[in-house]
Amino acid sequence: MRRFFAAALPFWSGETKLRAWVLTILVLSFVAAQIGTAVAVNTWSRIFFDALERRDSAAAWHIATWLPLLVAVSALTLSALVISRMLLQMRWREYLTRRLAGWWIADQRYYRLQFVAKEQAAPEYRIAEDVRLAIEPLVEFAIGLISAAVTAATFAAILWHVAGSARFTLAGTEIVIPSYMALAAIGYATVASLAAYVAGRPLVARIAAKNEAEAQFRAEMTRLRENAESIALIRGDSDERDSVGENYGRVVAAWLRVIRQQGVIAIVLNTNGALFPIVPLLLIAPKYLSGDVSLGAVMQVVAAFSAVQAALIWFVDNFVRLAEWFASVTRVDELQEALEGLDIATVMEDETRITLKESEDGAIHLERLSIAHSNGRAVITDASIVIGLGEKVLIVGESGTGKSTLIRALAGLWPWGSGSIAVPRGKSIAFVPQKPYLPMGDLRTILLYPEADKPVPDEIVVAALRRCGLGYLARRLDDEDKWDRTLSGGERQRVAFARLVIRRPDIIIMDEATSALDEDSQNHLLGLFDAELAQATLISVGHRPGLEDYHDRKITLEKRLAGAHLTSRRLGKSLWRLFRNRNAANDATV
């Protein structure tokens, strides 16, 4: 739990410390008020039953008039404790969620984590759900422990004062056991707690395994939903049903192991529940029968014994929840460990890291660049090349030669390898993947992403839509829709080109960015690089016919045993391409 508390406890020492301490003091104050109310009710019980024993109706009715006030105070303090506790839970969870989510999202860790920690299934679930399951019970446990400790001490003092000592004769010798009720409560609670610990210890690992199986099952269902169309088109229903059934089978098996262990714990808890109200009556009965204590004292002692015993067996009552909490803390800790490992790997200064730096001449330099998988297997070896300012370069090669991996390295997402990549200082860079990301929001937000807050006149946005063949969407700029599902693959790629027209970046890096377009649409959009985007440096990966016409140079990746090798060849620009692009631009303007 070291990493977990190292990340969670700064809630009381960082920027949120004022809020944290105010909420903590409120919670502790209401805990104290609640215990004080419980002591008052315990005292009221003794006075009331003593009046009943004396058959003193006046005294009984007088003390009964205090009951509504005690009930009202108890209800108010409990309600205030619940509200302040929930506020503390919510704010603490907010702090830790922001910290972990920010850590995970920053510097593309959410992307690189899948390569270095493949066992970290559904990190988003660990942040969204396991953080909640780690924080909320922890606050309740802390309140419970503090309340239990204070309650045990307070009511043990009552037992000591009211029940007195036990005296009996054994073999002619008088034996005195001072504060025997308090000692009996402690002994009983100790035995019950040890029994619960022995019975429930295996539950921690079994709940952790159950949570992991649940996470894997959710990830499988999410994958099914995200790939629903592809699966439906190839009629993969039967295989997916079998896969889902197999995954859920693991969930069921994990749950059965948890249920079996909880059955063992239930025997201990239920046995304790049956003995709980009987033990104090049996212990105090001899003193009542001998006339040493009154009926009111008996009721007060029984209530106090129950309070002490309940406080001391807090561990027993909460063992299952403690096991579930520890399992969630473990999953949060595993995510932090993976993120720490990723950061350590990123800053390692050795020959297995690609160096990213800035170039002074406006060109992109690849110097003795070797790219490897995270396991060390070479993908590209010893590549050196310069891509000049405004140059249009096409990267081709057969499948598996590392084209997309090279793009990731240029984007700074792929650190595994050696050599260096230098990009021009102060130049804006745009990356266009095969499946452009469309965030939630209206169409204008999507077109301006990732600079949605930047003020851009509607005229420019509409002109970009029309230039990219999306003029029919110009009337829907303020419409919010599930655009990632509403737009087809080709329309999404057109949106990506519209973003380029709006942003006018200095360097554009594309990976199969026209794969969903027909040839005419592809030619129309690539014509932007001879018109609106003529000054931009272009690096694109693709294999479709006609791409060479829009590039100045072609780099071919040739697969070899020691890793792909790069060869470069100049391409000529045809007059018919320039003529066609000029006409296309004029048509779009009209």
Side-chain angles (χ1 to χ4, degrees), residues 67-89:
L67 186 59
L69 178 61
L70 290 175
V71 171
V73 172
S74 178
L76 287 174
T77 54
L78 283 173
S79 300
L81 177 59
V82 169
I83 293 172
S84 58
R85 184 206 74 208
M86 293 179 69
L87 284 172
L88 179 59
Q89 289 171 322

Side-chain angles (χ1 to χ4, degrees), residues 24 30 36 103 126 133 144 180 202 237 273 316 322 346 381 397 413 419 458 516 570-571:
T24 302
F30 291 127
W103 189 8
R126 299 185 186 220
L133 295 174
Y180 78 103
D237 308 41
V316 176
L322 280 166
T346 301
T381 57
L413 300 178
D458 284 358
R570 282 285 170 187
L571 300 172

Side-chain angles (χ1 to χ4, degrees), residues 184-200 265 267-269 271-273 275-276 309-310 312-317 319:
I186 294 173
Y188 180 88
T190 301
V191 172
S193 297
L194 287 175
Y197 175 76
V198 172
I265 296 174
I267 294 175
V268 175
L269 297 181
T271 302
N272 172 66
L275 294 174
F276 189 88
Q309 197 262 351
L312 293 178
I313 65 167
W314 176 90
F315 175 78
V316 176
D317 292 336
F319 191 87

Side-chain angles (χ1 to χ4, degrees), residues 375-403:
N375 60 10
R377 187 175 66 85
V379 180
I380 297 174
T381 57
D382 201 24
S384 296
I385 197 168
V386 177
I387 300 174
L389 182 64
E391 190 175 10
K392 311 294 189 289
V393 177
L394 174 65
I395 300 176
V396 298
E398 61 181 290
S399 178
T401 52
K403 302 185 297 297

Side-chain angles (χ1 to χ4, degrees), residues 469-486:
L470 296 173
Y472 54 89
L473 294 176
R475 293 176 297 177
R476 303 189 62 187
L477 286 179
D478 296 316
D479 289 358
E480 291 193 11
D481 201 346
K482 295 181 179 178
W483 293 106
D484 57 336
R485 300 182 183 179
T486 303

Side-chain angles (χ1 to χ4, degrees), residues 459-470 497-499 501-502:
E459 294 78 10
I460 294 178
V461 177
V462 171
L465 284 173
R466 290 174 177 169
R467 181 68 176 90
C468 297
L470 296 173
F497 277 90
R499 289 171 175 169
V501 175
I502 295 171

Side-chain angles (χ1 to χ4, degrees), residues 325-343:
W325 168 77
F326 187 76
S328 293
V329 168
T330 300
R331 286 173 55 79
V332 174
D333 180 75
E334 288 172 352
L335 176 60
Q336 293 184 92
E337 182 180 13
L339 291 172
E340 286 180 0
L342 182 61
D343 289 346

